[in-house]
């Protein structure tokens, strides 16, 4: 998610910002810009670099823009769901980009439908736009506050209007959002690495519960929502953010390094080499190696040219799917006791294939180390995890998982170790490891009216 | 516009039907189908044959479907405006395809926006969906009647629901809509040529003001609207429909033939050859030749491979744009007195180029004959005409137009002659020739909220 | 086939010329240009308008260019066979575009292979390039004459070199080639309609057996080959050329009109309407109507939007393939005795479907009239006809064909009638109607070495 | 380069093999297969995963295939140059894939042209095919030996015929080629990582000067060429090969690790962190860190989603080109003395940008360490290096380069250190570091006939 106000090449900067944020979503991307009179929208399926031609960028006129990349969710990969959305209502044209997930979207939507609203997407974000349009508030900001007071869950949002950009974070601060400056222009981005690419200066994080209004007169901040305990997504540090970003005030690279270090202290291994699963396990493996004294080496090589769809041979090749992406380096692995460091085990199937592949390359022992606790619960606040039933750790003990992986040992970082690695204290949501959900998930899902998917 | 209910290959039939109706719109096309549980939507920019791959057709599951082709309107060629639309509301999922144009869409939209509705397209069709969703009527049919009672203007509509297909025509019957049968299945189409391609049998036209409800129990007809004088679009006969269609109960080919015949009687010419401007002037030219006794010949050849965008040379080529499409046949034209028959003169620029090109090929005289009266007013009921200011006949006399075209003579068919050619009588809207608009056009255009174009 | 020398926008003119010649080949197209130092080549599969983007045209620098469109031959639709070819040899770079077919290509190729030549295409044109490269002649022109003396069959050729353009026609003059002028530039094209589009002036046909050398010093003509009886392809007049072209000194439109007239005299019919099979039968039908007095009408409408591949429904639709392209107009046909005029019957399958479709539309009688004699032999000189075995008239009598078509009567134009329509006399090759092949076809086909197709 | 014989899914295996070898060439790729009767060829521009659809793979029938990926060379990126080539000659059809570069191609080509050969590509590989076709040898193998005896330079080749696969390496063994087994099938590949992906077993390297003939009767080896001192390309170990490959009998990963270790011994640095330039400097940086004791860290993060063409903003962004690919991690770099490890400095421009970017991220000192000697000479044996004039080290001293880079210190690995790291001894070509070219480069370049590029 990216926003910019007051730059002569707003759309081009948004395009580059989205490119730097590509890891946050590869399914679709879009940009909406405005020249103060009209809005311009370009969206497409696929990668930022493929969607935006020079011609499409040129069509995105004006000095303000917001952009979005969407990750692949199963089922409803449809262009109509690609953000930013752009609508007209009695307050004028509004575009919106949303990072996060609302937990009460289904019931709000039911209510809105009962009141005569129509929905054109299956996205929870559309609910917010309806609430803004229906608000009786006198001012635009008032209407946004009205709407955002009624939604529950995770939202980092960027709204674009003809004459202003308004961004905000929910009161728990689930998802990241940073504020920066590029010459005269104000910029916002999900991660600071987007600022680095365009040469913008990081200023500060948008605060949980803060709305920031950017217009021709300058930048104003408001804190219109009931304060809540800060609950920033710990998984941003574990996996989601890029290591060169500073997220929630911490260097991601450093946090991961410390996860690896703590993991080495909690789960040492008598071994010959520490091998990261690239790229997610790189930083933690380095930390593990440093503390354990076991040498670090690149025992798995990643193929950078993996395309989206791949033609499989009829005749089965063992571990085909994993091999397309990863290849073991026999010289590093053969006859060695290997510590394999990764950032998480979700369903367990991929990890099992990697362990088996490493073993076939001649490893004497394979010790799996994971730089976070077992993933026991799905995320309801904006990370695309499988359902609880699919999470191997929600039903299996660590020993059972170890047996499934056919690893010689398996160690997960403790929740305490993880918390300490990311700076300690309570301001994190770690529901996926603890089942402690800060915003309750409604039990009943309301009657469905089609065109809508309820997030697990 | 096409609809089908109760056919195992509903989407495939819709695809073929749209192909036969391709001349009605080349900008975008789409199909929505349903299997009774879910709706499936595929839309794209361009021609039917290019948009729908085998794979996309396969994704359109179910035994009911509606489809739409959209013609090119200036400015907002956007995928989001491609029909059929598909929405969810408290009555479930609804898809809609619309042929026509509402004259009170802007004011209805203003009202809906004031009541908190949001709009995602710039199309008048979205207004109808909001009205349906907001209706307090107990039944679905009731809600449709509610909504359609409030809109004014031209609408032939096909609504698809999970369990039924509802089609209808406005009480004036501006736009055509035919009902047919394909085995057990019920089909509807803007023109009968769509039935011919798929082997369906034409049954009858949907009546002005009629709603037809097709579901598992059969086909029901209702006439829920206040009756109005029938005002079918005479331009369908002059230009829009395919000559092999039967529209409003008349063969299009025959009507055009009779226009040409009447034209010959009204505006004879001492000439050697009657040359049609292909393909629009073909039938009328034949009628002209028959009555006048002046031999018919193909003096202009059309290039069938014209692509959408064409690379122009830097160095100007005379009449380049027209030449890409038409080439004169010198043997037919040289030293002859030529009667050039076309279906209309809009801005006059193309006609002027054709006259000049024919003259350069050696014609001794060029007599232009037009198979309808001068086009003096824009259409507000669904035909994409330029604004009044751009219509040459709205400000220039016939003699002035003749001088502009540099033709030796110019004759338009009289309105009486045209009416007689299409079967006589009053049931036609001929506002574009008479400025006699059956449904008044609101004077004031309401404050615009963006994302919306008001049709001239 | 198109060539131009001495024009600042040579490639752009070639592109437009090819566009006008698109009807001569839709499988692939290409242009080679030169700026005197280097050659530039762009080729692609499909239509001219789709292959050449603004960018590709820009890459084709220089003031001389040749271009080619290739028609679809079964089997080896490969980009490598798309012309113009471009090679390097000891005489420098050569590009070539070829219209026609050599009858001794296989044996020449065998010999060249025995002498150590390698072949990269399956085209007979490559043989010519080898012969040029191997010629011992002192001059370039000498080498071309050497090579072209050895090949037998049909060739209209355009050779492009860094400093000159050389074009020629075989001594029989099988295929057309016209010479024109565009300002200072010299242009050549297969048909004069290409000149019309770019505003060039037709000068004369290249003579059978003539080589024309165009370079900075001007235009020279040579007649270096042993003279032969002129044998111009009569099928160009019957079907292949565009009606607005002048080919072999005759207007194509006029020739077809006269074929129709002669057909009416030879095979009159007691009927109510003359219906052309569009577009090939249009001109002849007009001639038939004129002479017979039976009124002409558009009883079959062609769909202009037919794409290349079409998704067929599983459930068979009668006459599906024909219906995609043609639709009968019931008002013209019903209860009428119809004369159906077409330019040829090849396999008979399509004609049979059309007759049946017309009958189902209510025709009382269907009388088929063909504006040329029965096609009894395949073409070996550059027209893509099926093998003899597939030609219905090679094994069936006219009465047998009539029964197969289920027509009420069937009449072919006599060879005498055809000859007279195209200007009379002997200078035509009509082997496809008479089996009188002016250049003998080698009986034995030489051992094949792969990568080569022998033309039937 | 990949080859397979005797596998039911030959083309599919070739496709996967090429995918694993994608790093060796990203410009174009192709596969030729044979079913014993016919050859099938599919080629395209771009990446393997984008070129080969399921449909194209299906068209590549048969149980034998060869494939090739080509790297981007400036100027003549043309599909016609994409390999494998496929030709017909008197010995039948031949396809060939070539890794390497011939130094006497221009003079051989001149001679062949004088003898009447024509060339359709600008590739030296075409010369080999002409020589094979012109050989007087009785057998196919004899003709290959004839041809390959006459060419000088680097060639690892795979020839496919209808009934056999013949592969070989030049007598110096410049380029790698490995032999493996996949069930009953014989496979060859430039690097062993291609075997790993498809589950094939590495058997041995093809020996310098060896021809291996694979047919239905089995696998034969011949050594028909005059023996030469082995001169394997040392740059394969430094940069070109994938780290998980075993090349010339050595693990690439291990060799690079040892280069880094030797570099640390030769050029130690008082520093706080060792930062690799990803991905090329990863292994060497690890070795450097291990020996020096300076901790290793990921101070530069690579963006994996970089597309081919990127739209640059009008307003300059500092270090834009480098930033698209690499982003510094401030937490790793700020206030640190950084050792930056990379595999080579070519022109120096990119290295200079990286040093500057690292410094702007707060590094106190930047010490550049390169894991090979200064690159002083271009490669004539198949690696795409710039001309001598563009190589910064060909004209500048190490100290001058250091000043250009604005680095605090600069150290290159010595040639002795490099040789030791790759296993010691003489069997390597290191001309790019020593100007000691094992096969002399002809001084004079022969007169050019167009369509041909002489490799610097």
């Amino acid at each position: 998610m990216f926003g910019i106000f007051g730059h002569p090449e707003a759309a081009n900067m948004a395009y580059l910002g989205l490119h730097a944020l590509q890891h946050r979503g590869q399914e679709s991307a879009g940009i909406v810009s405005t020249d103060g009179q009209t809005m311009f929208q370009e969206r497409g399926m696929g990668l930022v670099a493929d969607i935006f031609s020079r011609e499409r960028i040129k069509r995105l006129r004006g000095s303000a823009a917001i952009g979005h990349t969407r990750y692949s969710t199963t089922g409803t990969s449809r262009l109509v769901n690609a953000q930013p959305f752009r609508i007209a209502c009695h307050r004028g044209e509004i575009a919106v980009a949303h990072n996060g997930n609302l937990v009460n979207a289904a019931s709000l939507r039911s209510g809105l439908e009962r009141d005569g609203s129509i929905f054109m997407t299956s996205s929870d974000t559309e609910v917010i736009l309806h609430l803004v349009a229906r608000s009786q508030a006198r001012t635009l900001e008032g209407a946004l506050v009205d709407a955002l007071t009624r939604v529950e869950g995770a939202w980092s949002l960027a709204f674009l209007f003809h004459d202003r950009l308004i961004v905000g974070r929910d009161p728990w601060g689930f998802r990241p959002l940073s504020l920066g400056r590029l010459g005269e222009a104000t910029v916002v981005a999900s991660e600071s690495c987007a600022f680095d690419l365009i040469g913008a200066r990081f200023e500060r994080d948008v605060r949980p519960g803060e709305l920031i209004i950017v217009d021709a007169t300058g930048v104003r901040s408001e804190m219109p929502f009931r304060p809540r305990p800060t609950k920033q997504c710990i998984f941003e540090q574990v996996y989601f953010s890029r290591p060169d970003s500073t997220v929630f005030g911490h260097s991601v690279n450093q946090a991961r390094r410390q996860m690896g270090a703590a993991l080495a202290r909690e789960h040492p291994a008598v071994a010959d080499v520490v091998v990261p699963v690239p790229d997610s396990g790189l930083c933690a493996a380095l930390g593990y190696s440093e503390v354990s004294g076991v040498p670090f080496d690149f025992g798995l090589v990643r193929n950078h040219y993996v395309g989206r769809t791949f033609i499989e041979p009829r005749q089965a090749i063992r571990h085909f799917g994993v091999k397309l992406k990863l290849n073991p380096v026999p010289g590093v692995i053969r006859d060695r006791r290997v510590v394999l460091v990764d950032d998480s085990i979700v369903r367990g199937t991929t990890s099992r294939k990697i362990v088996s592949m490493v073993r076939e390359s001649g490893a004497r022992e394979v010790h799996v180390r994971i730089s976070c606790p077992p993933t026991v619960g799905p995320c309801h606040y904006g990370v695309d995890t499988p359902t609880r039933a699919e999470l191997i750790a929600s039903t299996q003990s660590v020993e059972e998982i170890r047996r499934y992986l056919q690893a010689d040992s398996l160690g997960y970082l403790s929740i305490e170790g993880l918390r300490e690695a990311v700076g300690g204290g309570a301001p994190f949501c770690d529901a996926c490891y603890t089942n402690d959900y800060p915003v309750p998930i409604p039990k009943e899902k309301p009657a469905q009216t089609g065109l809508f998917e309820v997030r697990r």
Side-chain angles (χ1 to χ4, degrees), chain A:
Chain A
M1 204 174 104
F2 184 91
I4 185 162
F5 191 94
H7 193 282
E9 293 186 75
N12 211 336
M13 292 300 140
Y15 157 73
L16 293 171
L18 291 185
H19 175 66
L21 298 169
Q22 182 75 82
H23 61 289
R24 297 185 73 84
Q26 296 93 44
E27 192 201 49
S28 64
I31 296 175
V32 171
S33 73
T34 183
D35 60 2
Q37 308 291 323
T38 312
M39 284 195 173
F40 307 94
Q41 181 185 41
E42 296 289 336
R43 298 181 296 174
M45 304 303 292
L47 297 180
V48 171
D50 298 333
I51 294 168
F52 292 98
S53 59
R54 195 175 303 275
E55 227 169 55
R56 294 186 89 171
I57 297 276
K58 227 185 257 174
R59 283 203 286 266
L60 292 164
R61 293 208 303 263
S63 61
I66 60 174
H68 190 270
T69 61
R70 190 166 179 254
Y71 52 69
S72 180
T73 56
T74 45
T76 52
S77 305
R78 298 192 304 130
L79 187 55
V80 82
N81 285 326
Q83 297 203 8
F85 292 155
R86 171 202 180 194
I87 62 132
C89 69
H90 70 109
R91 298 188 189 274
E93 274 188 296
I94 310 179
V96 67
H98 175 202
N99 181 17
N101 190 54
L102 308 181
V103 300
N104 65 337
S107 69
L108 287 172
R109 184 165 160 154
S110 274
L112 285 161
E113 287 181 353
R114 269 193 307 273
D115 291 347
S117 285
I118 68 174
F119 284 79
M120 284 208 158
T121 76
S122 56
S123 158
D124 54 350
T125 310
E126 194 179 354
V127 166
I128 301 173
L129 293 168
H130 281 283
L131 294 176
V132 171
R134 285 176 175 271
S135 162
Q136 304 292 327
R138 210 174 37 81
T139 64
L140 194 49
E141 280 84 358
L144 290 190
V145 172
D146 256 21
L148 295 172
T149 302
R150 295 191 54 197
V151 302
E152 283 163 33
W155 49 267
S156 284
L157 285 161
F159 292 95
L160 185 67
F161 306 88
H162 283 179
D163 62 351
R164 77 198 87 172
L165 168 71
I166 303 183
V167 303
R169 273 175 87 194
D170 67 64
W172 293 270
F174 283 111
R175 309 248 58 90
L177 190 60
S178 297
L179 189 69
R181 186 141 290 279
L182 175 58
E184 299 297 295
T186 302
V187 289
V188 294
S190 291
E191 292 179 37
S192 62
C193 63
F195 295 159
D196 295 340
L197 176 56
I198 60 171
R201 208 178 60 244
F202 173 85
E203 291 208 324
R204 64 171 176 89
D205 282 355
V206 177
R207 280 187 286 275
E210 184 180 18
L211 277 192
I212 294 180
I213 299 100
V214 190
D215 62 16
T217 70
V219 179
R220 277 180 304 123
S221 164
E222 294 186 11
M223 296 290 293
F225 304 106
R226 184 181 136 202
R228 304 280 191 170
T230 297
K231 288 292 177 189
Q232 301 177 130
C233 170
I234 207 162
F235 195 63
E236 290 279 349
Q237 296 286 9
V238 171
Y239 168 82
F240 214 69
S241 292
R242 244 169 68 169
D244 51 332
S245 287
T246 296
V247 166
F248 307 142
H250 284 81
S251 154
V252 173
N253 170 69
Q254 199 149 340
R256 287 183 193 165
R257 188 84 174 252
Q258 284 167 18
M259 292 173 208
L263 186 58
R265 280 186 293 263
E266 293 186 8
H267 297 284
V270 181
D272 303 304
V273 64
V274 172
V275 167
V277 176
D279 287 348
S280 51
L282 286 176
C283 302
L286 213 53
Y288 193 101
S289 165
E290 207 169 36
V291 163
S292 66
V294 180
F296 173 100
D297 210 340
F298 298 104
L300 291 168
V301 166
R302 182 173 155 178
N303 187 341
H304 291 305
Y305 300 100
V306 177
R308 198 135 287 220
T309 53
F310 233 84
I311 301 156
E312 270 195 70
R314 289 192 307 274
Q315 188 175 313
I317 292 179
R318 266 177 78 76
H319 314 315
F320 181 75
V322 166
K323 267 188 184 168
L324 272 178
K325 288 187 213 149
L326 293 179
N327 197 31
V329 183
V332 174
I333 288 170
R334 194 168 307 121
D335 292 329
R336 300 278 182 79
R337 293 164 301 179
V338 175
V339 178
L340 213 55
V341 179
D342 204 351
D343 70 303
S344 47
I345 297 175
V346 181
R347 291 175 183 81
T349 45
T350 300
S351 304
R352 180 184 159 108
K353 280 180 190 168
I354 295 173
V355 170
S356 157
M357 198 170 71
V358 166
R359 220 180 266 288
E360 284 173 21
S361 289
R364 267 209 291 142
E365 297 175 10
V366 182
H367 301 276
V368 176
R369 295 294 178 270
I370 302 299
S371 60
C372 65
T375 306
V376 296
C379 179
H380 296 278
Y381 311 124
V383 174
D384 187 40
T385 37
T387 59
R388 188 177 299 273
E390 294 170 276
L391 293 169
I392 190 170
S394 77
T395 56
Q396 306 284 306
S397 69
V398 172
E399 171 56 18
E400 285 167 331
I401 298 170
R402 186 200 64 73
R403 279 207 301 269
Y404 175 74
L405 302 185
Q406 303 187 316
D408 293 291
S409 76
L410 168 62
Y412 282 97
L413 181 61
S414 67
I415 186 70
E416 295 77 21
L418 175 58
R419 283 177 185 157
E420 201 168 321
V422 296
F428 283 96
C429 170
D430 48 21
C432 51
Y433 305 127
T434 61
N435 276 320
D436 178 15
Y437 292 93
V439 177
I441 315 308
K443 286 273 174 31
E444 316 273 280
K445 86 169 181 193
Q448 209 175 317
T449 60
L451 237 179
F452 187 63
E453 0 152 13
V454 175
R455 185 69 58 81
R456 304 119 290 148

